[in-house]
């Protein structure tokens, strides 16, 4: 990320974990180990969590800290030193990455295309005196190796599919140097010794959004989800995946993938080993690799993947032409946020976000399309969809968040021009309502008790420093 030379007098390779909270099967850590081994240096893994990142809440903080605790445990098992810093009012350190980098030979960061990670890594790379290497830890096939300038998913797949086998074969590197135990420029926090619930309760973050009981933090919960995928979800996945009323229709892995508690290589190894049908495995691979990695690829190529201007030009033009159309379904931000609109099906979707911090894919499509009619203009619709997804969903603030919302706002062109949507296709709730018991399921889901989340005065239009 910069043109600096390895520092001759550094003590370690700094592996700065920004999002991929796992010790094994982690290409950023492996790259740091390889570099360390080559220079006879130990690796120091660092993960810091600020109090004021966008949308910081009990929900996100619990998940991040619980997963970070397991990252450190796993690093120690691998013979690596891992230190953490938890920002709070009575222990505020400044510039820790810079201070650690000043003692490092080189820094390995993550090649993350969205949210604060990209902006932070760029800032650090521009200002420090040692080289910063950006390593993708989110995808099986790093977007950088797929090549530049691919405009469509089918061309992307033609390049991506042959690479999968190669990257699937990669193995964890072995650290040949004893763990770093030298002095540090700060006193690290030991997450094993901290009661995360008590700690989070004392922070100045959004306490109205509680931790998700459906998606507990950390490795054991992620491994249990993977186990459930193999046993209950994958057999039949190709036919059940679209049924939001089924408990075991989808894996629920997205929060763990988003925060990197699990990586796609580990998931695909398990999938490939399973006895599920080739059709089920292919469908799953299409979602996890074909769609997820396509959105990562797209995000990496965009200067600001979370901005409305990424939506296809024809769709923006068509929606703009209809911006002045009467909108009888307008809803307030508060009613939308709390899932209290006049649309029962939409409330059922939104209440999944509120209760679980996750929403079924099929519901997300209806949910996003409907926001276009519930808000005064297309830009507000975009900002509302991103805001709700990012604040409430554990897997939000992801390349898949903005890629999918963009696909809902302008994926396929309809064959006629209609009020509000113009040429953008709309979507009904039939996919769930027409199933056996679908209407009852929606009514029940729309009536579920949900947390009493605070309602902001307005929508954050530019929540990420990168935009
Ligand atoms: C409007 C809208 C917003 C979305 N926002 C997000 C988001 O913020 N974060 C997010 O990770 N996904 C998002 N998705 C994609 C998808 O809905 C979720 O990944 C999926 O619902 C997660 O549930 P699961 O893990 O049970 O999925 P499964 O069906 O079990 O799929 C396995 C994995 O494949 C990946 N995957 C599946 N579908 C998609 C897809 N359409 N695009 C990209 N990856 C996919 C996910 O990593 C998922 O965990 C969104 C989709 C839509 C339509």
């Amino acid at each position: 990320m910069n043109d600096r030379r390895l520092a001759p007098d550094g003590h370690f390779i700094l592996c700065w974990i920004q999002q991929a909270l796992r010790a094994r099967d982690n290409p950023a850590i492996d790259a740091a180990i390889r570099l360390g081994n080559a220079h006879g240096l130990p690796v120091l893994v660092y993960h810091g969590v600020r109090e004021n990142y966008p949308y910081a809440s009990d929900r996100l903080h619990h998940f991040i800290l619980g997963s970070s605790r397991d990252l450190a445990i796993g690093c120690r098992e691998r013979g690596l030193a891992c230190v953490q810093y938890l920002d709070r009012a009575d222990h505020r350190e400044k510039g820790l990455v810079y201070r650690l980098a000043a003692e490092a030979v080189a820094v390995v960061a993550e090649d993350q295309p969205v949210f604060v990670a990209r902006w932070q890594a760029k800032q650090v790379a521009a200002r420090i005196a040692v080289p910063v290497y950006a390593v993708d830890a989110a995808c099986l096939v790093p977007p950088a190796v797929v090549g530049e300038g691919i405009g469509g998913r089918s061309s992307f797949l033609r390049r991506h599919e042959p690479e999968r086998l190669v990257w699937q074969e990669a193995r964890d590197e072995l650290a040949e140097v004893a763990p770093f135990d030298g002095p540090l420029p700060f006193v690290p926090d030991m997450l094993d010794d901290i009661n995360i619930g008590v700690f989070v309760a004392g922070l100045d973050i959004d306490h109205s959004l509680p931790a998700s009981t459906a998606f507990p933090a950390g490795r054991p919960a992620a491994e249990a989800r993977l186990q459930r995928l193999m046993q209950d979800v994958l057999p039949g996945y190709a036919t059940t995946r679209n049924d939001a009323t089924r408990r075991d229709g989808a894996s629920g892995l997205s929060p763990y993938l988003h925060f990197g508690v699990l990586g796609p290589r580990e998931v695909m190894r398990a999938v490939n080993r399973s006895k599920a049908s080739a059709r089920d495995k292919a469908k799953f691979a299409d979602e996890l690799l074909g769609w997820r990695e396509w959105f990562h690829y797209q995000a990496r190529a965009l200067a600001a993947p979370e901005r409305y201007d990424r939506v296809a030009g024809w769709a923006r033009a068509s929606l703009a032409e209809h911006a002045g159309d009467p909108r009888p379904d307008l809803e307030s931000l508060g009613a939308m946020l709390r899932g209290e609109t006049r649309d029962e099906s939409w409330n059922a979707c939104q209440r999944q976000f509120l209760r679980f911090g996750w929403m079924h894919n099929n519901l997300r499509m209806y949910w996003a399309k409907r926001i276009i009619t519930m808000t005064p203009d297309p830009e507000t619709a975009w900002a509302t969809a991103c805001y709700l997804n990012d604040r409430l969903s554990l897997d939000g603030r992801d390349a898949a968040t903005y890629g999918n919302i963009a696909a809902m706002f302008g994926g396929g062109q309809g064959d006629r021009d209609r009020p509000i949507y113009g040429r953008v296709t709309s979507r009904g709730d039939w996919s769930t309502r027409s199933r056996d018991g679908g209407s009852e399921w929606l009514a029940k889901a729309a009536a579920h008790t949900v947390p009493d989340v605070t309602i902001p005065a307005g929508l954050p239009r530019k929540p990420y420093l990168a935009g």
Side-chain angles (χ1 to χ4, degrees), residues 229 233 237 241 249-255 257-258 284 287-289 291-292 295 353 358-362 364-365 367-368 389-390 393 395-398 400-402 404-405 408:
L229 168 70
V233 178
Y237 180 78
R241 190 220 174 210
S251 69
L253 282 176
S254 55
L257 287 159
H258 169 74
F284 189 85
E287 303 301 344
L288 181 67
L289 305 180
W291 282 106
R292 182 170 178 272
F295 288 130
F353 264 171
W358 175 91
M359 193 196 299
H360 190 279
N361 179 68
N362 204 265
R364 291 195 207 215
M365 293 195 276
W367 172 89
N389 199 145
D390 284 349
S393 192
D395 64 20
R397 310 154 310 283
D398 193 278
T401 313
Y402 315 114
N404 273 289
I405 297 176
M408 292 302 107

Side-chain angles (χ1 to χ4, degrees), residues 83-415:
V83 292
Q84 289 135 313
Y85 163 66
L86 310 180
D87 181 48
R88 70 264 195 192
D90 60 358
H91 185 201
R92 194 135 283 160
E93 297 276 3
K94 284 228 179 293
L96 277 187
V97 176
Y98 295 92
R99 281 153 61 190
L100 285 167
E103 306 196 3
V105 167
V107 177
V108 175
E110 289 181 43
D111 193 2
Q112 254 294 345
V114 290
F115 202 50
V116 293
R118 182 196 233 180
W119 172 85
Q120 285 175 338
K122 268 192 186 163
Q123 291 261 323
V124 167
R127 292 182 187 170
I128 65 175
V130 298
V132 178
Y133 301 98
V135 177
D136 179 278
C139 298
L140 174 67
V141 181
V145 307
V146 180
E148 308 268 304
I150 301 174
R153 198 175 87 101
S154 34
S155 314
F156 168 78
L157 291 178
R158 274 197 294 280
R159 299 276 278 278
H160 189 267
E161 278 169 359
E163 292 284 348
R164 292 179 190 173
L165 271 181
V166 179
W167 292 86
Q168 189 68 67
E169 292 308 310
R171 291 280 180 271
D172 284 354
E173 299 283 333
L174 288 177
E176 292 162 6
V177 183
F180 176 75
D181 65 352
L184 292 165
F186 73 110
V187 179
D189 291 304
M190 290 297 292
L191 268 159
D192 322 41
D193 303 339
I194 287 174
N195 178 326
I196 292 178
V198 172
F199 175 79
V200 168
L203 296 176
D204 182 17
I205 59 177
D206 176 7
H207 295 300
S208 71
L209 191 62
S212 167
T213 49
F215 294 94
R219 268 307 283 190
E223 284 165 11
R225 280 265 165 200
L226 188 55
Q227 189 67 24
R228 178 177 164 275
L229 168 70
M230 310 318 295
Q231 274 167 10
D232 308 327
V233 178
L234 200 57
Y237 180 78
T239 41
T240 56
R241 190 220 174 210
N242 282 334
D243 186 351
T245 67
R246 288 179 69 111
R247 268 182 180 274
D248 53 3
S251 69
L253 282 176
S254 55
Y256 302 99
L257 287 159
H258 169 74
F259 284 109
V261 186
L262 282 174
R265 192 168 70 193
E266 180 179 359
V267 176
M268 280 314 296
R269 275 193 189 141
V271 167
N272 291 335
R273 274 198 312 268
S274 108
K275 292 195 172 68
S277 73
R279 183 164 164 258
D280 291 331
K281 290 186 194 181
K283 176 71 179 156
F284 189 85
D286 191 41
E287 303 301 344
L288 181 67
L289 305 180
W291 282 106
R292 182 170 178 272
E293 301 205 359
W294 165 235
F295 288 130
H296 272 264
Y297 177 86
Q298 279 190 324
R300 197 169 180 275
L302 290 165
E306 68 282 352
R307 255 187 357 220
Y308 179 60
D309 62 9
R310 71 168 293 164
V311 174
W314 67 264
R316 277 183 286 129
S318 191
L319 290 169
E321 263 174 45
H322 289 269
D325 289 359
R327 283 165 197 254
D329 295 341
L330 272 191
E331 296 284 351
S332 70
L333 178 61
M336 295 177 81
L337 187 53
R338 293 188 170 177
E340 293 170 355
T341 71
R342 287 161 291 166
D343 180 344
E344 180 188 75
S345 301
W346 196 88
N347 296 341
C349 305
Q350 174 67 9
R351 285 180 177 231
Q352 285 213 329
F353 264 171
L354 286 162
R355 287 176 71 207
F356 307 130
W358 175 91
M359 193 196 299
H360 190 279
N361 179 68
N362 204 265
L363 301 183
R364 291 195 207 215
M365 293 195 276
Y366 174 72
W367 172 89
K369 292 269 190 194
R370 275 291 273 153
I371 292 176
I372 298 173
T373 64
M374 291 175 161
T375 44
D377 56 74
E379 283 90 348
T380 308
W382 172 267
T384 305
C386 293
Y387 166 71
L388 296 175
N389 199 145
D390 284 349
R391 180 176 170 197
L392 306 177
S393 192
L394 283 164
D395 64 20
R397 310 154 310 283
D398 193 278
T401 313
Y402 315 114
N404 273 289
I405 297 176
M408 292 302 107
F409 277 57
Q413 213 169 132
D415 53 3

